[in-house]
């Protein structure tokens, strides 16, 4: 029995993960990830501002992720609009953001250690001290920008 064109077009349709893989191969995903990096940087910086404000910005390094949020957002938007920015500005800003996230992990760990009981009182200090894993969210935003920068761009 011969195949009909309608049958082959349904079979050729791309769904789910296959669509994402196709978008990565064709370069469509690079711009999307640049835009997600921009949005993620702004949302994360806003959240960090409120959390660090609760702590009265007791350490001057608390301002770094707040200041880097708009930098990441601008780099992400430029990465959407310009191939050159996506391959230069975006990875530079994203690497800085990711490094700041790792630094934040260390600083939050140090903050937990300085609480009464330190690491021996782990559960209480994790709940009442600086959130140990929160800086990793900043690192993820930086990682998204780095991934966007190495992806192929659609022509």
């Amino acid at each position: 029995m011969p195949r009909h064109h309608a049958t082959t077009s349904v079979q050729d349709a791309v769904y789910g993960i296959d669509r994402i893989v196709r978008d990565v191969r064709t370069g469509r995903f690079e711009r999307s990830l640049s835009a997600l990096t921009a949005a993620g940087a702004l949302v994360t910086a806003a959240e960090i501002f409120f959390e660090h404000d609760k702590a009265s910005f007791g350490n001057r390094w608390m301002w770094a992720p707040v200041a880097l949020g708009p930098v990441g957002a601008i780099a992400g938007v430029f990465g959407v609009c310009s191939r050159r920015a996506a391959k230069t500005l975006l990875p530079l800003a994203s690497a800085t953001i990711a490094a700041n996230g790792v630094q934040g992990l260390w600083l939050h760990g140090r903050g937990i250690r300085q609480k009464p009981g330190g690491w021996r009182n782990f559960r209480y200090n994790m709940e009442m001290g600086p959130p140990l894993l929160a800086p990793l969210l900043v690192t993820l935003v930086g990682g998204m920008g780095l991934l966007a920068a190495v992806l192929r761009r659609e022509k």
Side-chain angles (χ1 to χ4, degrees):
M1 213 176 213
R3 287 192 161 172
H4 298 292
H5 291 290
T7 307
T8 55
S9 65
V10 170
Q11 289 174 346
D12 292 339
V14 181
Y15 298 103
I17 193 73
D18 291 335
R19 180 181 207 127
I20 294 171
V21 170
R22 185 193 69 196
D23 287 349
V24 170
R25 285 185 182 150
T26 61
R28 288 184 183 162
F29 194 63
E30 189 247 12
R31 285 185 178 176
S32 299
L33 201 52
S34 293
L36 283 172
T37 300
L42 283 181
V43 170
T44 304
E47 177 64 24
I48 291 168
F49 173 81
F50 292 120
E51 290 301 315
H52 285 180
D53 189 47
K54 282 196 303 191
S56 301
F57 286 94
N59 182 328
R60 71 180 196 275
W61 281 108
M62 289 179 160
W63 285 103
V66 174
L68 287 172
V71 171
I74 291 167
V77 169
F78 282 0
V80 171
C81 300
S82 162
R83 182 184 191 285
R84 180 182 230 176
K87 303 303 179 192
T88 57
L89 180 61
L90 184 58
L92 179 63
S94 296
T96 305
I97 290 168
N100 181 250
V102 172
Q103 177 194 29
L105 179 67
W106 180 78
L107 289 171
H108 282 211
R110 187 179 74 173
I112 289 172
R113 182 176 48 87
Q114 292 171 346
K115 289 287 205 190
W119 290 103
R120 288 176 286 125
N121 198 5
F122 178 73
R123 183 167 177 197
Y124 180 80
N125 286 336
M126 274 292 286
E127 292 174 0
M128 301 307 291
L132 181 64
L133 303 177
L136 294 178
L137 296 174
V138 175
T139 305
L140 284 173
V141 170
M144 286 188 330
L146 288 170
L147 180 59
V150 299
L151 288 174
R152 178 178 170 185
R153 189 171 186 101
E154 70 182 331
K155 296 177 181 169

